[in-house]
Amino acid sequence: MIQPDKLVYVGVDLHKQHHTAVIIDCWNQKLGEIKFENKPTAFPQLEKEVKKHSKKGMKVVYGLEDVGGYGRALAVYLTEKGCWVKEVNAKLANNRRKSHVTIQKSDSWDAECVAKVLRDELYNLPDAKPIDLYWAISQLVTQRKWQSKSLTGMVKRLHQQLGYHYPSYKKFFSEVDGKTALAFWHKYPSPSRLSGVGGKELATYLRKLSNYALSTKKAEQILTLIAEDGDTSRDFQDKRDFIVKGLVRNIRFYERELARIEREIESLMNQLGFQLETMTGIELVTAAELVAEIGDIHRFASPDKLARFAGIAPIAVGSGNKHRNYKSKQGNRELHDIFKALAIRQIAVTRTKKEPRNPYFHAYYEQKMAVGKTKQQAIVCIMRKLVNVIYYLMKTKAAYVIPVVSSQEAA
């Protein structure tokens, strides 16, 4: 452990276009300040300014709030230079700013608050380790979320438009946005386009699209439903048909993009060598989301640290002889939601035989319910166990094996 008087603390307030850095000593005395652009060619200016205020034998430590966003380029630059870089939680710096009698707000003051947090919490803060592989996975996962959101919006708009043209459209196909359905909507965006098309012709078209899965009966059913709906044609029908065709093209585009993104994610995940998909309820996308939020698992010394990072560990509150644990609302909420969704999948049962998909966690859930836990409390218990499992799988790169349920647990 380095003596505090042998350290110079540099807090950096990060922005898209520029950064502001404030340099302090161990007595919280401000030594200097610099504002520089957020680009690699400007980063040496920071080093040059810091050297002015660090005497011989002094060690410099940098504190950055947003290592994964606007501050990533600076974090990469400093770590590649062999500098000591710490990741400062934005809430800690914000709380430090609000702790003063007169609350200020400026880039300079924000950077100084980061530096003071860095000084006070130096050995409790995690080292900044911007690894390109994890960052690339995170970027692809984020891109997939946006594409998926856009696709969902397009499908909703398609439902709306089809409701105008085909009141009984939901009875046509099992999936409105399926491959066969999309081809049908594109060729026949409204009943007017089916004028003169008989059951035999439509059946031939559907049979070819569905690899002979749809029969003449389906074609006759569609034509019957259209006849029962009545005439839905209106003025400017061709313009309304244009909207439906456009939505179909957009849906197909986003589906292709999602497939491309998932192939890129798969290629990066293969480089990590994890076997997270061997666990019940985890497929490629969920595994990538876990990796994107957790990052390098070695930055967590234990599963307890990961649980606290995910906001799953309870918060102990006590005064005098009264002590109670409360549900945490802190931590990484994205990761918290991933674990919650994964916990719900563990207690799911198969559609046909109604058998538990994961007998171990299903028995554990029933056990918690039997001792008086609510459903939500039981799910939180599963989430905490899942943290241990995911931590082990990522640390060892082992495959998941469902534990054998003992007779006592089954009872």
Side-chain angles (χ1 to χ4, degrees), residues 61-310:
V61 56
Y62 295 85
L64 280 67
E65 281 185 333
D66 189 10
V67 173
Y70 294 145
R72 176 176 170 75
L74 178 60
V76 170
Y77 174 84
L78 292 173
T79 52
E80 288 180 348
K81 287 282 187 177
C83 300
W84 191 12
V85 186
K86 288 285 187 176
E87 185 174 354
V88 178
N89 191 309
K91 288 187 177 180
L92 292 176
N94 190 43
N95 290 338
R96 183 63 185 251
R97 180 168 58 85
K98 290 181 177 180
S99 66
H100 290 260
V101 177
T102 303
I103 299 176
Q104 305 177 47
K105 186 70 177 78
S106 67
D107 294 349
S108 175
W109 179 238
D110 288 347
E112 188 170 344
C113 288
V114 172
K116 290 181 178 180
V117 171
L118 180 65
R119 174 198 173 280
D120 296 340
E121 304 288 339
L122 178 61
Y123 294 101
N124 294 325
L125 297 173
D127 290 329
K129 296 179 180 179
I131 302 174
D132 287 336
L133 179 55
Y134 292 102
W135 182 73
I137 292 174
S138 175
Q139 293 295 300
L140 284 170
V141 167
T142 301
Q143 180 70 2
R144 188 192 177 280
K145 285 180 180 177
W146 282 106
Q147 296 283 14
S148 181
K149 186 176 181 180
S150 298
L151 175 59
T152 302
M154 289 296 170
V155 172
K156 285 182 179 178
R157 290 181 61 190
L158 179 62
H159 275 273
Q160 182 186 37
Q161 292 298 322
L162 291 177
Y164 301 146
H165 299 179
Y166 296 102
S168 301
Y169 75 94
K170 289 186 178 180
K171 298 178 182 179
F172 289 13
F173 306 99
S174 58
E175 293 182 358
V176 175
D177 57 337
K179 181 181 177 181
T180 303
L182 288 176
F184 178 86
W185 308 131
H186 191 267
K187 186 169 184 178
Y188 306 112
S190 65
S192 60
R193 298 298 182 97
L194 278 164
S195 178
V197 178
K200 187 176 180 180
E201 182 182 346
L202 182 58
T204 303
Y205 177 71
L206 294 176
R207 205 174 289 119
K208 184 179 178 181
L209 286 173
S210 61
N211 292 325
Y212 296 91
L214 297 179
S215 63
T216 305
K217 184 179 179 181
K218 170 56 71 173
E220 292 175 349
Q221 180 192 6
I222 291 174
L223 292 174
T224 301
L225 288 170
I226 292 173
E228 292 175 352
D229 288 339
D231 184 17
T232 58
S233 299
R234 294 292 182 270
D235 292 338
F236 308 105
Q237 185 63 51
D238 59 328
K239 307 303 181 186
R240 297 168 59 204
D241 292 349
F242 173 80
I243 294 174
V244 173
K245 286 185 174 184
L247 289 171
V248 170
R249 287 194 296 269
N250 287 335
I251 290 171
R252 285 172 169 170
F253 168 77
Y254 284 119
E255 287 178 344
R256 288 195 300 269
E257 284 300 300
L258 284 174
R260 290 192 185 102
I261 292 172
E262 288 173 10
R263 285 196 296 270
E264 295 297 327
I265 290 174
E266 185 177 14
S267 67
L268 293 181
M269 290 292 290
N270 289 338
Q271 295 184 39
L272 290 172
F274 295 139
Q275 301 186 65
L276 296 174
E277 293 97 319
T278 58
M279 184 173 187
T280 310
I282 297 183
E283 27 64 59
L284 174 66
V285 174
T286 303
E289 288 174 346
L290 284 167
V291 171
E293 296 300 332
I294 294 173
D296 184 7
I297 192 65
H298 295 91
R299 68 194 183 107
F300 298 100
S302 66
D304 292 339
K305 297 285 187 181
L306 178 57
R308 190 167 295 279
F309 175 75

